[in-house]
Amino acid sequence: MVENSVVRRQNIITSAAYNEVTEDLKTLFNGFNGVSIEQAVPQDGQENVISNDLFLKIYLDSGRKVYLQVVPDSSLGFRVSIHCGNGQTEYTNWANIDRRISSETVSYSMARTRYGAVFTCFPSVMENVSSLPDGCLTNFFTTFETSDGRTVNGIICVNPLSDDTTAPSGSTSMSFLATSEHNNLEPIDVTKCFYGNRANQTVLVNASSYTKPLISRHLFKKVQTEATKFGKISINGREFIAGSHYCLEIDDTPEV
């Protein structure tokens, strides 16, 4: 996967979407420190069969405390969830980070930088789209620093789907932060941290936990945003991948 740019997938047939998205997610996360991947693959001759035995787990920390899970689904093509800790309580230890809407096709986007990865909510059911809006980039994986100087992996999963100050009609889900320092998902109401919508300049602060002494040096929370500041952007000479409510930094320093 090419770093520092948004990779887009449009109008994938839903029945084939599980295989497509799992391959893309493996490529997206491969090589990050502490990340490991576990997958149950179909038997020979069963590649196109939806089976409850199939899954992809992407462990985001070396202790396997936080992970993404992808499983097939007969109507949506697949489901994606975030898990944290050993409990089994929904919205405490795990939560789906996809849309529960069936469609004939699926579209999604991803981006990878030296400092982490960004991807959209799944599946984004915008049929026959030429370009999925970069405001739909809602999931941000990166590193955080602890108060004693250690570096830990973490992920922020944002709801709503776009960079607005109010959640979509009927939405009750919170956004979540999960790191290896957390025993449960940390809920975040991103709309209450947002001061200006479609402002004349974008303002960023370092992303942080509200319950743990954790701060990210390369993921930034938007406190206000310009209408054009999505996707690959530049602010004060620094490059970012900007999505919903957050920006992940890009390192454009050429390799020597």
Side-chain angles (χ1 to χ4, degrees):
M1 181 173 292
V2 178
E3 288 194 352
N4 303 336
S5 61
V6 180
V7 176
R8 308 177 195 282
R9 307 293 191 219
Q10 277 88 41
N11 302 317
I12 299 171
I13 300 301
T14 298
S15 60
Y18 174 78
N19 291 335
E20 294 276 354
V21 75
T22 51
E23 289 303 310
D24 278 340
L25 282 172
K26 287 188 294 184
T27 301
L28 180 68
F29 282 95
N30 182 52
F32 285 117
N33 187 42
V35 171
S36 60
I37 295 172
E38 179 183 351
Q39 185 174 22
V41 298
Q43 298 178 358
D44 291 342
Q46 301 294 313
E47 288 80 3
N48 297 318
V49 176
I50 297 294
S51 170
N52 292 332
D53 296 329
L54 303 181
F55 67 84
L56 172 70
K57 290 184 179 180
I58 301 176
Y59 295 98
L60 302 181
D61 65 295
S62 57
R64 294 192 165 196
K65 195 172 183 180
V66 180
Y67 65 92
L68 294 169
Q69 179 171 272
V70 189
V71 296
D73 184 272
S74 58
S75 60
L76 296 177
F78 56 88
R79 302 300 306 267
V80 183
S81 53
I82 178 71
H83 300 254
C84 181
N86 297 320
Q88 301 296 321
T89 304
E90 187 174 11
Y91 301 121
T92 298
N93 305 109
W94 72 275
N96 286 312
I97 55 172
D98 54 25
R99 299 181 69 182
R100 303 181 183 190
I101 304 171
S102 60
S103 172
E104 293 182 358
T105 64
V106 172
S107 299
Y108 56 88
S109 300
M110 299 177 172
R112 176 187 171 109
T113 82
R114 174 184 176 183
Y115 302 117
V118 185
F119 56 98
T120 55
C121 175
F122 295 117
S124 293
V125 286
M126 298 181 181
E127 297 191 47
N128 301 315
V129 295
S130 58
S131 179
L132 192 65
D134 290 328
C136 292
L137 290 164
T138 55
N139 304 289
F140 304 84
F141 166 76
T142 191
T143 56
F144 291 79
E145 291 183 14
T146 67
S147 58
D148 57 1
R150 291 178 295 112
T151 298
V152 300
N153 289 350
I155 187 169
I156 292 179
C157 303
V158 174
N159 182 61
L161 300 180
S162 59
D163 211 326
D164 297 322
T165 57
T166 57
S169 176
S171 175
T172 58
S173 298
M174 298 289 292
S175 300
F176 297 102
L177 166 64
T179 74
S180 56
E181 298 293 290
H182 286 76
N183 292 319
N184 301 314
L185 298 171
E186 176 184 330
I188 303 173
D189 189 341
V190 294
T191 62
K192 291 183 179 179
C193 308
F194 204 64
Y195 303 141
N197 186 39
R198 302 295 185 257
N200 62 359
Q201 62 178 339
T202 298
V203 178
L204 306 177
V205 297
N206 293 85
S208 60
S209 168
Y210 290 84
T211 64
K212 306 283 183 181
L214 298 170
I215 188 169
S216 178
R217 301 300 180 188
H218 305 290
L219 181 65
F220 293 83
K221 174 75 182 73
K222 299 181 191 179
V223 293
Q224 65 180 36
T225 187
E226 299 164 76
T228 58
K229 294 296 186 180
F230 294 91
K232 188 174 181 179
I233 65 170
S234 178
I235 301 176
N236 294 336
R238 296 172 68 176
E239 303 291 322
F240 303 88
I241 298 292
S244 178
H245 291 270
Y246 288 87
C247 294
L248 179 66
E249 188 175 9
I250 290 172
D251 181 8
D252 276 338
T253 304
E255 294 185 4
V256 178

